[in-house]
Amino acid sequence: MATPASTQDAIDILAKLVGFDTTSAESNLELIAYVRDYLEGHGIPSTLVPNEDGKKACLFATIGAGEGGVGLSGHSDCVPVTGQSWASDPFTLTKRDGKLYGRGTCDMKGFIACVLASVPMFKSMSLAEPIHVLVSYDEEVGCQGVRPMIARLGQDLPRPRAVIIGEPTSMQVIDGHKCIDVYRTSVTGKEAHSCMPANGVNAISVTSKLVTEIDRMADEVAQTENDPHFDPPYSTVMVGMVQGGTAPNIVPRNCEVVWQLRGLPGTKAKDAPARLAAFAEKSLLPEMRSVAPGAAIETKIKTSVPAFASGPDSDAVALAMSLTGANRTSGVSYATEAGLFQQAGCPAVVCGPGDIAQAHAADEFVAIAQIEACLKFLAKLAERIGP
């Protein structure tokens, strides 16, 4: 029987991880250096996969030998604390009432800390197949960092037979999530003095009509899709940002709207940009170009994270269910790196400590009980793939 790693060891490691400000706009190299040194201290080499400018990197390490194996994947970056009111320093781990507070404790340094604390236990086992440790960057800005590492799986990096993504699920087994497609629609009108608005094309006014159409599409999708495995049980289309104009006395020439689709696996709402373009071509552009021939409405995709659907025969889901004792799975509306692993031929599942309701919030925390549950989960994994 494998003995779970010490809870205190996991807490101590989590304190180190939280102390690194790995907001997505910042470098994660100090955290990666800490993880690499920790692994080397246990005789485990690692490979770094840096980004183009060398300011960030993924890490891949293998414990044990053989083909296949199980990957334990977590992202090192976290969201900003700007504008949030915290009761304690977000980059200093603080223990209160059975909870561990700090930015990233829940999403998702708690999982990484559990994995690292379990390394000595993994090493002590005669594993029949390896355990791989994967740490990525820029998950919070479209799962960008993990992609170069995934591209090397089966090339110069081993390809796990299953990958467990330790996003906060309260240790529930998640076998599906929605996609995220983020779009930027730019409107180009014509400037004029505000006393003669008919001489211009008001880009903000045009954008308001686009926003109304986006909301109309959202209502339509909500009425035509239904998958009770998810909450909400339909794809969502939502406007997130609008920016435009120069001054109150100038008819605005430019405006842009950033909007997103969070789509069910297989959703038909992927045609939303084409439908918005058709609406613009028919209902907006003719009048705009009668005043300004160069007027335009253009939509470009900013970020796309694929949906995740494990399928009924997923070895990764079966493994997670056996380790947790769960008799059912759930789907979630937030996105993870699971869809990218799945596309690359690595069956994936999402299961990790912490409640997603705490992620990204002020006074983010992970309950110590969740850390303990994750350590037990990892000990059972070692038993399962032991000799």
Side-chain angles (χ1 to χ4, degrees):
M1 298 290 289
T3 301
S6 158
T7 302
Q8 189 57 53
D9 286 349
I11 292 173
D12 291 343
I13 293 171
L14 181 56
K16 291 283 190 181
L17 298 177
V18 169
F20 298 109
D21 180 358
T22 52
T23 304
S24 298
E26 306 296 332
S27 171
N28 75 332
L29 292 183
E30 289 187 2
L31 180 147
I32 291 296
Y34 166 77
V35 174
R36 193 176 204 188
D37 289 345
Y38 176 89
L39 292 172
E40 287 181 352
H42 290 282
I44 301 167
S46 58
T47 299
L48 300 189
V49 183
N51 68 346
E52 290 183 358
D53 63 14
K55 294 181 180 179
K56 298 183 181 182
C58 293
L59 177 145
F60 189 104
T62 298
I63 304 165
E67 298 294 321
V70 176
L72 302 173
S73 181
H75 63 82
S76 62
D77 61 316
C78 54
V79 298
V81 299
T82 306
Q84 295 183 341
S85 178
W86 284 68
S88 56
D89 180 357
F91 297 106
T92 299
L93 190 71
T94 304
K95 180 180 177 181
R96 295 196 303 271
D97 302 322
K99 301 171 183 175
L100 303 169
Y101 291 85
R103 175 53 87 222
T105 51
C106 173
D107 186 17
M108 56 180 296
K109 293 178 179 179
F111 177 73
I112 297 174
C114 289
V115 171
L116 295 179
S118 299
V119 164
M121 181 264 296
F122 291 150
K123 280 205 66 181
S124 71
M125 306 286 289
S126 299
L127 300 175
E129 58 179 326
I131 291 176
H132 308 286
V133 178
L134 295 78
V135 182
S136 62
Y137 64 88
D138 282 0
E139 189 272 349
E140 298 290 2
V141 289
C143 298
Q144 297 301 315
V146 76
R147 298 174 196 241
M149 181 164 60
I150 288 176
R152 291 171 58 172
L153 299 180
Q155 304 296 321
D156 62 331
L157 294 176
R159 180 187 297 277
R161 69 169 176 85
V163 177
I164 300 170
I165 293 91
E167 290 278 1
T169 70
S170 299
M171 297 306 298
Q172 302 302 304
V173 178
I174 303 301
D175 64 351
H177 65 61
K178 297 179 180 180
C179 72
I180 301 180
D181 293 339
V182 180
Y183 303 98
R184 184 190 305 274
T185 298
S186 301
V187 177
T188 303
K190 180 183 178 183
E191 290 176 331
H193 195 291
S194 62
C195 73
M196 302 286 286
N199 290 344
V201 175
N202 191 315
I204 292 178
S205 294
V206 172
T207 299
S208 70
K209 296 173 183 177
L210 292 170
V211 169
T212 298
E213 179 63 11
I214 292 169
D215 288 344
R216 189 200 65 76
M217 288 192 294
D219 290 341
E220 180 181 307
V221 170
Q223 294 170 13
T224 57
E225 291 190 349
N226 182 47
D227 186 342
H229 199 54
F230 296 86
D231 182 18
Y234 47 82
S235 300
T236 57
V237 185
M238 187 202 78
V239 171
M241 296 174 62
V242 176
Q243 184 174 10
T246 304
N249 60 351
I250 301 174
V251 174
R253 181 177 184 272
N254 299 107
C255 190
E256 65 179 26
V257 55
V258 179
W259 54 289
Q260 69 170 226
L261 162 69
R262 288 183 179 258
L264 295 170
T267 181
K268 295 181 179 179
K270 285 276 191 177
D271 66 355
R275 294 176 63 186
L276 188 67
F279 168 78
E281 193 68 36
K282 178 181 178 181
S283 303
L284 301 178
L285 285 169
E287 182 178 352
M288 294 168 66
R289 288 172 176 166
S290 69
V291 178
I297 299 172
E298 183 179 26
T299 297
K300 293 183 178 180
I301 192 162
K302 287 185 62 183
T303 303
S304 181
V305 179
F308 165 54
S310 65
D313 301 318
S314 169
D315 290 341
V317 172
L319 174 63
M321 291 183 72
S322 69
L323 297 178
T324 60
N327 56 17
R328 68 180 186 88
T329 60
S330 300
V332 293
S333 293
Y334 60 86
T336 77
E337 298 168 342
L340 292 166
F341 281 106
Q342 195 86 4
Q343 285 184 347
C346 294
V349 66
V350 186
C351 184
D355 187 336
I356 193 63
Q358 311 305 326
H360 301 191
D363 292 332
E364 177 183 351
F365 70 84
V366 63
I368 294 175
Q370 284 287 297
I371 295 294
E372 292 171 342
C374 185
L375 293 174
K376 292 177 181 178
F377 174 92
L378 294 172
K380 289 180 179 179
L381 172 64
E383 289 177 9
R384 180 58 55 86
I385 63 176

